Amino acid sequence: MPLTLIVRQWLQQWRLQWSRVSVPAGIWFAMVGLSLCLAQDSTPSSLQRQFPGALPLEIEGDIASEMVDGIDRFLLGKLDQSAAARERHWQRDFTSPQAYARSVQPNRDRLARMLGAHEDRVAPVVIDRNFVAGSSVDGSLSGYRVYSVRWPVLEDPDPGRSIVSVYGEGLLLEPIEPTAVTANVVAIPDCDQTPAQISGMAEGVAPELQFARRLAERDCRVLVPMLISREIKSRGGRAKLTNREYIYRAAFELGRHPIGYEVQMVRAAIDSFDASRPIGVIGAGEGGRIALATAALDERVDAICVGGSFGASEAIWAEPIDRNVFGWLAEFGNAETLSLVAPRKALINHSRTPARSFDGSGGGAPGTIRPIDATEGRKEVERARQLVRPLIKNQQWQIDETTFRDAPCDQATTDRFVERLINRPNADRPSADQPQRDVDVVRQVDEAAMQTRLVEQLDRHNQLLLRESPFVRSTFMKGLNTNSIEDYVQSSQRYRQIFRDEVIGRFDDPLLPPNARVRQTWQQPGWTGYEVVLDVFEDVIAYGVLIVPDDIGHGEKRPVVVCQHGLEGRPTDTFLGDHRAYHDFAAQLARRGFITFAPQNPYLFKDRFRTLQRKANPLGKTLFSVIVPQHQQIVDWLQSLPQVDPRRIAFYGLSYGGKSAMRIPALVTDYCLSICSADFNEWVLKNASTRHPFSYVGTGEYEIFEWNLGETFNYSEMAALICPRPFMVERGHFDGVATDQWVAYEYAKVRNLYAARLKIGERTEIEWFDGPHTINGQGTFDFLHKHLNWPKPPAE
């Protein structure tokens, strides 16, 4: 082996080992300089013979890190461009308020779906109440009573059961004289406040910020719901999550969301109101977000007040993960959401909410609640006004800037909201500078128990949705035609489009020319390894290692196996060092005569890649929205090589590479077969169950949850998109990703499709072996030889 190649191989291993730690600058530059000197060993003429059109690869350092940084820039650019791109989703008709409402109804329906607020609610709604307090009567002013209340919201999703599974709970402040009621209002506290605190019945909120009490003193009937808090708890000895993230994780997988659940609670409360009086919704902090979403979806709301939560949304990826709404920024944002309220009244209070950070140290997602700058808020309100200028006047949407307090919804804001709601100044009511009324508490409300019940009920409802999800998916997939393979292929195209556009997410950007750069880096007995970099999108590259057997004859075309590493992996894990999970399977296959390619997928560097998912989700995209185009570019390039048979390119991935094996070949149809190793299981259950020990709900992998798989694509449905191409599962009995029972359950549906319905059972297999989370390389290698039509080595 040439000395230059030996040194380069050592340098490559050195770069991989030291890319995660700090290295003295002098050593670093010396090593990079030496590497640059050696990088010219593969001459352009040699590269051109093997890889037509390729240029020498001259990038040094950690190319994987550069790739992740480039994807980050790409996604941040898409977020910055999102506001300008949203108008294509809107067809506003300003000829009349009624025409406008009809024209935006599709947007309203899509928002309800995004928030998971589309389920039918219980009807009729009857509020259960227990008297807990009363205000003092002062002269001519009548007082109000306070009740602890509960009301039904959602039923068990089983269509055969009419059992309420979710209740709203909170307080009701009601004038003693029913005829004195001026309006019905839902007053929504921040999620870290309680109903009693903003009602003046518990400590923790200053009197001037007790806006529920102030509304009651203005003769409003006020319902104050309990929101899901951000209290952090240990979940079964595993991850420490806020209550909101705990509900979010399973709900997101099942097409639901904490925001949607809370909107449903508010709308159910509105269902109980007397429609003869004005209806208002006011919220502070997180409550302001719920108020805005409620009014956007429910035209019965006459006026809203959004306190401390109305600003630009493009940095929502850095906020608590329970605000992560899939696809919201592709069509909405705060301004567009407010446009659904037009021409009804809105008061936007720009007071600042307290900052709070979550570092993710307990396994939850990191995130920061940031106070919204008043200038930012004003810009977003003005953007909303411009969207609906023909329909509203400035006084309909007002900005409240009387005081820039560090907390929203003070007395002045609350009074202004009431005056707008009832269309008159209520001059005979107490002024803001008068002392608050005394409240005679008869019975204490156990709000800690109320919070516990709320979380338990929503968790239970998620689990009921999980139980029903196989039936929902079965109905969803009924459009597949299995009369013949041709009919099946044609009917599956619609499902592939749904998977690409609504589940994985697709960027409209065309692939760039690959501009292949290649460098010979490894020389081992029987094969040579080349680093390859390809352009994909602006700022996005694909990177991997091509391993070419030395015995390829002139003009010969070989099959290719793309060998995909798992979480925090590197291409070298698949062919160097006999890693305990991979056992050099890419090199083993090369020695059997296959060309192999080991791509660098971007799921490494922990939070660096997990925040890529956070940046993609608000756009209706995922990490695989970038990975799939990377693989399409890889396959396109491989098919252009003279030594590659373009019809025989297979995919074989382990662990997170097994996740890739389910998603990428389903969309990159140039892969002629797929092998899922150490990952295949009942995937929706693994993500949404709060009962099973292998569930992701209790782990630190907060990016793993994918929107609404429960109603669309579990692993058998993803395999249906690979069918009729060959598909195989490699499963170790002692692999902790799932139980054998759940793997068998999910694979049985795949086997039924191939063998029973399409009569092509020889195209699918599962190998069970006595081992852990690892490549076994027995049945899978035979599967590759069989379906890639490549002979086994003579020794076998």
Side-chain angles (χ1 to χ4, degrees):
M1 185 187 305
L3 177 62
T4 54
L5 192 54
I6 293 173
V7 175
R8 186 181 298 113
Q9 289 185 184
W10 176 82
L11 284 170
Q12 173 70 9
Q13 289 299 101
W14 182 87
R15 285 199 303 270
L16 293 173
Q17 179 179 356
W18 289 93
S19 61
R20 302 176 177 88
V21 300
S22 176
V23 180
I27 297 177
W28 174 260
F29 285 115
M31 293 298 181
V32 170
L34 178 58
S35 182
L36 286 170
C37 291
L38 298 173
Q40 307 304 318
D41 187 58
S42 295
T43 63
S45 58
S46 172
L47 288 174
Q48 286 295 325
R49 285 194 298 272
Q50 298 180 78
F51 312 111
L55 298 173
L57 175 61
E58 298 178 350
I59 303 174
E60 294 297 331
D62 189 350
I63 300 177
S65 184
E66 289 193 30
M67 182 185 76
V68 170
D69 284 346
I71 296 172
D72 187 70
R73 291 191 299 274
F74 174 77
L75 293 174
L76 288 173
K78 292 296 184 182
L79 286 167
D80 288 342
Q81 299 161 16
S82 62
R86 290 171 202 154
E87 275 304 290
R88 62 192 176 97
H89 297 288
W90 298 78
Q91 301 294 326
R92 295 184 176 90
D93 182 349
F94 295 112
T95 56
S96 71
Q98 295 76 19
Y100 179 77
R102 287 192 299 270
S103 71
V104 299
Q105 189 60 46
N107 305 87
R108 209 185 306 276
D109 293 340
R110 287 194 291 271
L111 179 60
R113 261 287 176 184
M114 288 177 188
L115 298 176
H118 57 283
E119 287 183 82
D120 292 336
R121 296 184 300 279
V122 174
V125 174
V126 178
I127 295 182
D128 296 330
R129 57 176 70 189
N130 289 293
F131 178 72
V132 296
S135 72
S136 63
V137 178
D138 124 349
S140 63
L141 299 176
S142 61
Y144 60 89
R145 294 189 179 102
V146 182
Y147 302 87
S148 173
V149 293
R150 185 180 82 147
W151 64 98
V153 181
L154 300 173
E155 290 184 342
D156 184 327
D158 183 339
R161 293 165 61 90
S162 297
I163 300 173
V164 176
S165 58
V166 176
Y167 289 87
E169 289 195 63
L171 298 179
L172 177 66
L173 287 64
E174 188 171 64
I176 293 172
E177 296 294 334
T179 57
V181 175
T182 58
N184 293 310
V185 179
V186 181
I188 313 173
D190 182 67
C191 64
D192 287 325
Q193 297 172 336
T194 70
Q197 286 176 324
I198 68 165
S199 301
M201 295 175 57
E203 296 181 354
V205 172
E208 62 270 20
L209 301 174
Q210 295 168 2
F211 58 96
R213 173 188 61 80
R214 182 63 179 173
L215 288 162
E217 291 176 348
R218 297 293 299 267
D219 287 341
C220 295
R221 178 186 289 115
V222 187
L223 190 143
V224 191
M226 171 73 77
L227 297 190
I228 312 162
S229 77
R230 289 204 177 94
E231 179 185 3
I232 298 174
K233 291 186 176 181
S234 178
R235 306 294 173 179
R238 303 173 78 195
K240 293 182 178 179
L241 307 175
T242 66
N243 285 343
R244 294 186 74 81
E245 183 171 356
Y246 178 65
I247 296 301
Y248 159 86
R249 288 188 173 200
F252 195 83
E253 193 79 10
L254 298 164
R256 304 301 191 276
H257 202 283
I259 294 173
Y261 281 142
E262 290 166 337
V263 168
Q264 291 282 58
M265 291 175 196
V266 176
R267 296 188 72 186
I270 293 172
D271 292 341
S272 74
F273 286 162
D274 176 3
S276 65
R277 292 178 173 85
I279 295 174
V281 181
I282 179 173
E286 210 66 35
R289 294 172 180 271
I290 306 305
L292 176 61
T294 300
L297 297 181
D298 199 321
E299 294 180 87
R300 295 174 297 176
V301 177
D302 297 297
I304 60 167
C305 177
V306 180
S309 54
F310 196 92
S313 303
E314 284 70 26
I316 199 168
W317 61 269
E319 298 174 14
I321 198 169
D322 55 81
R323 295 177 177 175
N324 180 45
V325 176
F326 190 76
W328 187 56
L329 287 183
E331 185 169 350
F332 295 96
N334 279 325
E336 288 78 10
T337 304
L338 182 58
S339 77
L340 291 176
V341 179
R344 292 167 287 149
K345 297 174 183 177
L347 182 65
I348 308 299
N349 173 229
H350 288 321
S351 296
R352 296 161 64 87
T353 54
R356 186 177 178 189
S357 292
F358 304 87
D359 62 8
S361 58
T368 299
I369 299 172
R370 63 179 182 88
I372 297 172
D373 181 76
T375 301
E376 174 191 328
R378 283 193 293 270
K379 285 182 178 179
E380 192 71 1
V381 172
E382 184 56 33
R383 197 168 69 81
R385 284 173 172 160
Q386 294 303 321
L387 293 174
V388 291
R389 179 64 69 185
L391 200 65
I392 66 164
K393 299 177 181 178
N394 281 345
Q395 62 267 29
Q396 286 175 279
W397 288 356
Q398 288 189 345
I399 299 174
D400 181 49
E401 298 182 350
T402 53
T403 57
F404 291 108
R405 293 184 177 275
D406 289 331
C409 298
D410 64 5
Q411 289 188 1
T413 298
T414 305
D415 288 349
R416 186 173 290 107
F417 168 67
V418 174
E419 290 167 2
R420 295 174 61 74
L421 179 61
I422 65 176
N423 290 316
R424 69 176 186 273
N426 210 353
D428 59 337
R429 296 298 95 202
S431 62
D433 58 359
Q434 284 185 300
Q436 72 178 92
R437 298 179 184 183
D438 294 329
V439 177
D440 182 16
V441 178
V442 175
R443 183 171 62 87
Q444 294 292 336
V445 178
D446 188 346
E447 292 188 300
M450 191 183 290
Q451 178 70 204
T452 298
R453 286 192 297 270
L454 176 60
V455 173
E456 288 178 349
Q457 287 176 18
L458 292 175
D459 177 29
R460 189 181 310 117
H461 190 75
N462 282 339
Q463 300 311 297
L464 293 172
L465 289 168
L466 176 59
R467 182 194 66 190
E468 290 299 307
S469 65
F471 303 102
V472 178
R473 291 192 300 274
S474 178
T475 300
F476 169 68
M477 297 296 288
K478 278 187 175 178
L480 287 175
N481 185 339
T482 56
N483 289 334
S484 68
I485 292 178
E486 292 75 18
D487 289 339
Y488 182 84
V489 170
Q490 183 176 359
S491 65
S492 67
Q493 293 304 315
R494 181 174 74 89
Y495 289 98
R496 182 170 291 106
Q497 182 175 350
I498 293 171
F499 187 59
R500 176 186 292 112
D501 294 344
E502 301 179 20
V503 177
I504 295 299
R506 178 177 63 89
F507 286 108
D508 295 332
D509 305 55
L511 292 176
L512 296 174
N515 186 28
R517 286 88 80 199
V518 180
R519 175 169 60 214
Q520 181 178 337
T521 309
W522 291 276
Q523 182 70 63
Q524 297 287 329
W527 58 266
T528 303
Y530 302 86
E531 292 180 89
V532 179
V533 171
L534 308 171
D535 291 338
V536 180
F537 298 142
E538 184 178 357
D539 286 322
V540 178
I541 61 171
Y543 167 59
V545 175
L546 181 71
I547 297 178
V548 181
D550 292 341
D551 62 349
I552 296 180
H554 179 71
E556 183 183 8
K557 292 184 178 293
R558 294 275 182 98
V560 180
V561 182
V562 172
C563 300
Q564 189 61 67
H565 64 77
L567 182 66
E568 299 293 339
R570 301 276 187 156
T572 50
D573 294 335
T574 68
F575 61 86
L576 290 179
D578 193 22
H579 189 287
R580 66 183 183 280
Y582 302 101
H583 301 300
D584 294 346
F585 77 112
Q588 288 190 58
L589 289 168
R591 294 189 185 101
R592 288 169 172 257
F594 297 101
I595 298 171
T596 62
F597 188 87
Q600 176 70 71
N601 270 7
Y603 36 73
L604 76 167
F605 305 121
K606 298 182 179 178
D607 282 338
R608 283 177 62 193
F609 95 81
R610 292 194 164 101
T611 56
L612 297 181
Q613 183 85 317
R614 292 291 314 276
K615 291 164 186 170
N617 275 183
L619 298 168
K621 307 296 189 291
T622 65
L623 197 60
F624 281 96
S625 302
V626 177
I627 296 175
V628 166
Q630 286 178 315
H631 276 260
Q632 186 64 65
Q633 191 75 302
I634 288 167
V635 170
D636 290 349
W637 181 73
L638 289 171
Q639 290 176 328
S640 74
L641 300 182
Q643 61 270 51
V644 169
D645 183 341
R647 297 166 300 176
R648 292 187 291 169
I649 302 178
F651 192 101
Y652 185 179
L654 175 132
S655 194
Y656 222 120
K659 299 180 197 358
S660 302
M662 300 308 304
R663 292 157 179 79
I664 296 170
L667 298 177
V668 181
T669 55
D670 297 293
Y671 281 123
C672 69
L673 68 80
S674 181
I675 300 174
C676 177
S677 177
D679 185 72
F680 189 90
N681 61 76
E682 218 283 19
W683 181 248
V684 172
L685 180 101
K686 182 175 177 64
N687 283 272
S689 173
T690 53
R691 178 71 174 88
H692 292 84
F694 52 78
S695 170
Y696 275 122
V697 171
T699 74
E701 292 165 293
Y702 57 82
E703 89 297 340
I704 207 74
F705 306 94
E706 295 163 285
W707 173 248
N708 201 24
L709 288 190
E711 295 184 332
T712 54
F713 295 92
N714 204 340
Y715 270 13
S716 62
E717 287 80 21
M718 293 184 198
L721 300 182
I722 298 170
C723 182
R725 291 166 288 161
F727 173 73
M728 183 173 182
V729 172
E730 185 176 44
R731 162 69 188 179
H733 288 305
F734 299 100
D735 189 337
V737 301
T739 65
D740 279 353
Q741 292 90 330
W742 283 112
V743 175
Y745 166 80
E746 192 68 10
Y747 178 73
K749 293 181 278 186
V750 179
R751 178 72 189 173
N752 178 267
L753 173 63
Y754 275 81
R757 298 169 67 188
L758 291 175
K759 312 302 181 186
I760 52 172
E762 74 282 356
R763 299 189 192 181
T764 187
E765 296 179 25
I766 184 170
E767 182 190 40
W768 306 89
F769 66 93
D770 188 17
H773 190 75
T774 186
I775 293 285
N776 190 47
Q778 301 296 318
T780 52
F781 284 13
D782 290 344
F783 192 80
L784 289 167
H785 282 289
K786 173 183 176 181
H787 292 287
L788 294 178
N789 192 26
W790 185 252
K792 295 182 182 180
E796 298 190 12

